[in-house]
Amino acid sequence: MLDEVEGSVQGHRDGHGFVQRDDGQSDIYLPPNEMRAVLHKDRVKVRIVRSDRKGRPEGRVLEIVERPKQPIIGRLLQESGVWIVAPEDKRYGQDVLIPKAATGAAKTGQVVVVELTEPPALYGQPVGRVKEILGEIDDPGMEIEIAVRKYGVPHEFSDACIALARTLPDKVRPHDKKHRVDLTDVALVTIDGEDARDFDDAVYCEPAKIGKGKSAAKGWRLLVAIADVSHYVENGSAIDVDAYERATSVYFPRRVIPMLPEKLSNGLCSLNPEVERLCIVCDMVVTEAGDVSAYQFYPAVMWSHARFTYTEVAAILANTRGAEALKRKDRVPDLMNLHDVYRALLKSRVRRGAVDFETTETQIICDESGHIEKIVPRTRNDAHKLIEEAMLAANVCSADFIAQAKHAGLYRVHEGPTPEKQELLRNYLKALGVGMSISDNPAPGEFQAIAAATKDRPDAPQIHSMLLRSMQQAIYTPVNAGHFGLAFDAYTHFTSPIRRYPDLLVHRVIKAILGKTKYQLPVLPMPGEAHAKLTRRLDKGLAARAKEPGQKPKKVSAETVAWQAAGMHCSANERRADEASRDVEAWLKCKYMREHLGEEYSGVVTSVTSFGLFVTLDALYVEGLVHITELGGEYFRFDEARQELRGERTGIRYAIGSRLNVQVSRVDLDGRRIDFRLVEDGVERLVRSSREKGAARDERGSSHELSEKGDAQRRLRAPLTRAAVPSIKKPKDAVKMASPRKAVGKPRRRG
């Protein structure tokens, strides 16, 4: 009997689709005739009936197990007297019929949200009614309105959440300060981007002597103060429920959909300058070698002494007697101390072999109406890196603190490449004649070593891109498996509780450990799809183990399931936020490129597929497709190992890094697709006959960035010696500060 499996339908813009199996096995292909009676995201039971000509398992839909309620967004059109909505998301594949009485006040051409009243059938289209009118297709911000509904991003807080937020104070009250260390006279500062509105981290650093007497070594005391969101967002409250549902803030050009109400995210919890704020502090002693020799956590009340931007700090560090430095002369010594500890932490990063490729990020600059004015490269200066390393150190300490206490929590886990990706990378490096490879159980340092050894090659960006692509995505999970890319034994997210729910959970766990209690996850009213998927997977795992001889299925505790579900939910919503942001950026770029139809540009091949080349334009930083039919009248074969298309007759090769001249030939706004046509003049092709053994290589563009603010630092393996934690020096007229050691006891030692 042929296999019958369950899974989720994933439609394709060309009419076919596939079923993403619950058991994690290979997807099952659904031809267009099978997609007629199902919708994108339907849960179905399918039978594998054959393998298609490409070797993919092909399925037949037996049953629709579940049809989730999902609004369809599209434009209302009238064709031959019939009203239809053409879905903006082409994965739905079919237009939705709208009875005249169900169009409401919507007008032809407007973007609307449709609720289905009749599902599709083999011989009938789906039928629906207009539920919401979003406006005209060219209205400012329409791309964001579409994206939040298309990806199911919660964009309105519940009435209960808003009502509760109104009851919160506007400033820190006297009783909020009880049992907290007073750090208001310590010169903590925030360093963020020019357009930042919520400030959840502040830093301070001063030189320190580690040890006593002649054996005392040079080091630094580094304080990372993070907004204490958990003080105001109570476990299981209406605000907590909404925050969990969102799991993250979503960032679009010119607009942010915050995880928390504005009163918290931009007000009470934001570490704004020159106001008192509650915080949780990671207080660390860092050695000259960049090792954290001791750390402690404690709740505190702080006063931000300055709000810096990255650009401003970079200018001060570059010239401590320049105009920027003169404006902030009181803070310049503190910034120099931060720069010194950053350079020490950088030594530790290099020693660990953490993956750290220099890449180019881009920033979209919009005008007042929301249209792109220009796309510019975003460069990371020393100020960005300084804050990143400080946050990484605090994140590592929080992971170590939770692990040492043996308390449940969410780790940020990044596993190494799968065996399949390892093999693909080995073949690729061999094909390019790199002369280095990775072992069967590779360490992060191996990837960094390859990157360092190839950094001066013309195809270095191409190689670095493949190194990054071979790695897996990071996830949130209660099972600590370390962070491969950053070379940490344990890592978690502690530094951004205003915009990430996992960080808020980590804060609650740390406070529970400090209070010698146990944190219990709230019973939230929305376990969601992630919980359902996890339950199905665990049930199947138990059933499989029960069938194995001599194996007793080990029942997973309810607490473990709850933490796993929370991790899956946060990971899934992080992906959702990324997809929604990319969708909006793709829309804006398509609208931008419609004004450049017919124009010619130079660019670099950034991806190669069996159906064509993706080219990123040098001047505009926009990616488009040169379809394989545009490459000439011969047959091109896709070489997966070399990531290139090669003409069988002429031997012409197009690989990642090839430089081309292209013309903007077509822009599909609905499909988020830009098509280029190859311009023969000035094309730099890679030519190699079948008898040639060498491999010509070209420059290529940028690859994706691995690290982010708040990602890094591994738990240090060396045993720790006892180190004196010095008091923070204060001006003579400062108010006496309670000693952190006295207030919270001895700092936790590592090892």
Side-chain angles (χ1 to χ4, degrees):
M1 181 174 137
L2 294 172
D3 290 343
E4 292 183 7
V5 297
E6 288 187 16
S8 175
V9 173
Q10 303 295 311
H12 192 274
R13 65 193 307 271
D14 295 328
H16 61 267
F18 59 91
V19 174
Q20 207 170 44
R21 295 169 60 158
D22 290 344
D23 58 12
Q25 298 298 311
S26 298
D27 297 334
I28 300 168
Y29 173 71
L30 293 180
N33 62 307
E34 287 294 322
M35 287 293 295
R36 289 178 62 86
V38 296
L39 289 171
H40 173 62
K41 294 185 180 179
D42 279 354
R43 282 196 46 74
V44 296
K45 180 183 286 186
V46 296
R47 174 179 294 154
I48 301 173
V49 292
R50 66 175 71 85
S51 293
D52 69 359
R53 57 189 177 82
K54 293 184 179 179
R56 299 175 296 189
E58 186 176 312
R60 178 178 299 153
V61 177
L62 301 177
E63 178 188 349
I64 297 172
V65 178
E66 181 186 356
R67 174 156 282 152
K69 286 185 178 180
Q70 45 184 318
I72 295 176
I73 301 98
R75 294 179 73 182
L76 181 66
L77 306 171
Q78 191 177 28
E79 295 182 356
S80 304
V82 178
W83 292 89
I84 63 167
V85 166
E88 188 276 338
D89 189 341
K90 298 306 177 187
R91 291 175 295 182
Y92 283 99
Q94 303 178 61
D95 294 338
V96 181
L97 294 173
I98 309 293
K100 178 67 178 81
T103 58
K107 298 174 183 176
T108 303
Q110 286 188 316
V111 181
V112 298
V113 180
V114 170
E115 181 180 59
L116 290 186
T117 55
E118 292 181 28
L122 280 175
Y123 304 104
Q125 288 177 261
V127 180
R129 69 176 185 87
V130 174
K131 182 182 176 184
E132 183 183 3
I133 301 169
L134 299 184
E136 303 298 332
I137 191 70
D138 289 322
D139 286 350
M142 178 54 67
E143 67 281 357
I144 297 174
E145 296 298 330
I146 290 173
V148 295
R149 290 162 178 83
K150 177 178 175 180
Y151 292 96
V153 175
H155 57 286
E156 293 178 346
F157 288 106
S158 65
D159 292 341
C161 174
I162 294 170
L164 183 57
R166 285 199 190 106
T167 67
L168 294 172
D170 295 318
K171 59 184 181 179
V172 175
R173 299 161 297 192
H175 69 266
D176 293 326
K177 304 178 193 179
K178 289 182 178 178
H179 311 298
R180 288 179 179 270
V181 177
D182 185 351
L183 295 183
T184 53
D185 58 340
V186 176
L188 286 153
V189 299
T190 62
I191 305 174
D192 293 273
E194 279 81 356
D195 54 354
R197 294 177 63 197
D198 53 5
F199 312 112
D200 46 17
D201 56 83
V203 289
Y204 172 81
C205 182
E206 68 173 17
K209 289 290 183 183
I210 303 173
K212 293 181 180 180
K214 294 181 180 180
S215 62
K218 180 184 175 183
W220 295 269
R221 185 170 183 187
L222 173 63
L223 269 66
V224 174
I226 307 298
D228 190 0
V229 175
S230 63
H231 182 83
Y232 299 106
V233 181
E234 293 183 7
N235 213 33
S237 68
I239 298 176
D240 194 33
V241 167
D242 278 27
Y244 175 76
E245 183 185 14
R246 295 172 181 227
T248 181
S249 296
V250 187
Y251 293 86
F252 300 110
R254 297 180 69 248
R255 181 177 168 190
V256 177
I257 297 179
M259 184 181 81
L260 299 171
E262 188 173 356
K263 184 167 185 177
L264 287 168
S265 60
N266 295 348
L268 192 55
C269 290
S270 183
L271 305 181
N272 299 327
E274 300 182 354
V275 290
E276 285 187 333
R277 287 290 183 258
L278 304 184
C279 60
I280 300 291
V281 177
C282 181
D283 189 340
M284 296 165 277
V285 175
V286 182
T287 69
E288 271 195 298
D291 298 335
V292 178
S293 63
Y295 69 83
Q296 61 183 339
F297 287 91
Y298 50 86
V301 57
M302 62 161 284
W303 172 284
S304 174
H305 283 57
R307 181 268 201 261
F308 283 104
T309 67
Y310 293 122
T311 305
E312 189 180 8
V313 171
I316 292 171
L317 294 177
N319 183 4
T320 55
R321 296 182 180 180
E324 294 289 350
L326 289 174
K327 293 177 193 173
R328 306 276 201 162
K329 57 182 180 180
D330 290 344
R331 301 278 73 83
V332 170
D334 297 339
L335 293 179
M336 297 305 295
N337 289 333
L338 283 166
H339 198 224
D340 288 343
V341 80
Y342 152 68
R343 285 184 289 206
L345 291 169
L346 203 57
K347 294 178 188 174
S348 176
R349 174 190 276 268
V350 172
R351 209 165 52 245
R352 294 193 320 270
V355 177
D356 186 19
F357 304 148
E358 283 298 326
T359 57
T360 303
E361 280 191 336
T362 58
Q363 179 182 5
I364 294 177
I365 308 296
C366 294
D367 59 23
E368 291 183 1
S369 61
H371 298 120
I372 293 181
E373 278 189 344
K374 57 184 176 179
I375 302 170
V376 296
R378 191 201 300 263
T379 54
R380 287 173 70 237
N381 56 40
D382 268 10
H384 289 90
K385 297 173 184 177
L386 178 158
I387 287 296
E388 181 181 326
E389 288 299 329
M391 298 305 114
L392 301 176
N395 284 334
V396 172
C397 289
S398 65
D400 183 71
F401 189 66
I402 293 170
Q404 294 276 2
K406 295 182 171 55
H407 196 296
L410 284 185
Y411 294 93
R412 181 68 167 176
V413 168
H414 179 230
E415 296 188 274
T418 62
E420 294 78 16
K421 287 189 174 184
Q422 287 182 37
E423 189 60 28
L424 183 65
L425 179 61
R426 287 191 196 98
N427 292 338
Y428 176 76
L429 294 172
K430 184 178 179 182
L432 262 64
V434 170
M436 299 175 71
S437 191
I438 56 173
S439 63
D440 292 336
N441 186 24
E446 295 178 40
F447 287 77
Q448 190 62 25
I450 294 170
T454 58
K455 65 182 174 65
D456 295 326
R457 288 173 53 136
D459 57 354
Q462 170 186 353
I463 296 168
H464 295 180
S465 176
M466 285 300 296
L467 290 171
L468 286 172
R469 289 181 193 180
S470 70
M471 297 181 188
Q472 299 186 58
Q473 285 186 310
I475 60 169
Y476 296 107
T477 172
V479 182
N480 177 33
H483 197 295
F484 179 84
L486 298 169
F488 292 131
D489 292 336
Y491 185 71
T492 193
H493 276 170
F494 160 76
T495 54
S496 297
I498 291 177
R499 64 183 179 92
R500 292 188 304 225
Y501 196 79
D503 302 54
L504 175 56
L505 290 177
V506 165
H507 275 231
R508 288 172 176 168
V509 169
I510 287 173
K511 288 171 84 172
I513 296 169
L514 290 174
K516 295 183 170 47
T517 61
K518 185 177 181 182
Y519 173 66
Q520 189 72 39
L521 276 171
V523 179
L524 294 162
M526 56 202 50
E529 186 181 354
H531 192 284
K533 282 184 179 178
L534 178 63
T535 303
R536 286 194 295 268
R537 196 172 74 188
L538 291 174
D539 288 346
K540 287 188 177 182
L542 286 172
R545 284 194 294 272
K547 291 178 183 177
E548 295 175 13
Q551 282 281 356
K552 291 184 179 180
K554 186 179 179 182
K555 190 71 176 174
V556 181
S557 70
E559 182 190 38
T560 301
V561 171
W563 278 101
Q564 286 180 321
M568 286 187 69
H569 172 82
C570 292
S571 300
N573 285 11
E574 179 186 40
R575 307 281 182 269
R576 178 180 70 182
D578 289 342
E579 288 172 1
S581 297
R582 281 196 296 267
D583 190 77
V584 167
E585 289 190 10
W587 166 291
L588 289 170
K589 287 178 179 179
C590 284
K591 289 192 77 173
Y592 181 56
M593 293 308 293
R594 284 199 305 190
E595 300 170 8
H596 298 275
L597 280 168
E599 295 181 17
E600 296 181 8
Y601 299 93
S602 62
V604 64
V605 176
T606 46
S607 181
V608 181
T609 70
S610 58
F611 54 83
L613 313 168
F614 285 95
V615 176
T616 298
L617 304 183
D618 296 331
L620 302 180
Y621 301 97
V622 170
E623 186 180 69
L625 174 70
V626 178
H627 196 268
I628 197 166
T629 55
E630 294 285 344
L631 298 181
E634 67 174 305
Y635 181 77
F636 281 84
R637 185 177 297 279
F638 176 54
D639 186 333
E640 187 178 27
R642 294 180 181 273
Q643 290 290 296
E644 68 180 25
L645 286 172
R646 180 175 177 179
E648 289 203 334
R649 179 172 54 83
T650 62
I652 290 174
R653 299 190 301 123
Y654 296 99
I656 295 175
S658 298
R659 299 201 60 81
L660 306 173
N661 284 352
V662 296
Q663 181 187 52
V664 183
S665 61
R666 180 174 176 267
V667 175
D668 177 6
L669 190 61
D670 289 341
R672 310 288 195 274
R673 176 169 159 174
I674 301 166
D675 288 337
F676 296 148
R677 180 182 296 122
L678 205 59
V679 178
E680 291 297 327
D681 293 338
V683 174
E684 184 183 322
R685 289 175 172 175
L686 301 179
V687 183
R688 182 182 64 181
S689 71
S690 58
R691 288 173 294 185
E692 287 178 317
K693 295 181 181 178
R697 299 173 181 93
D698 291 306
E699 291 185 55
R700 57 144 291 183
S702 63
S703 60
H704 297 292
E705 174 148 354
L706 175 73
S707 63
E708 56 174 335
K709 177 183 176 182
D711 261 346
Q713 277 228 347
R714 171 183 74 166
R715 175 183 168 187
L716 305 171
R717 293 194 177 104
L720 298 162
T721 56
R722 291 185 62 83
V725 182
S727 300
I728 296 175
K729 295 171 186 174
K730 302 180 288 297
K732 291 179 181 178
D733 57 347
V735 178
K736 187 174 181 181
M737 183 189 80
S739 165
R741 286 191 69 189
K742 202 167 185 179
V744 295
K746 292 181 180 179
R748 182 172 292 266
R749 310 276 167 198
R750 311 201 47 166

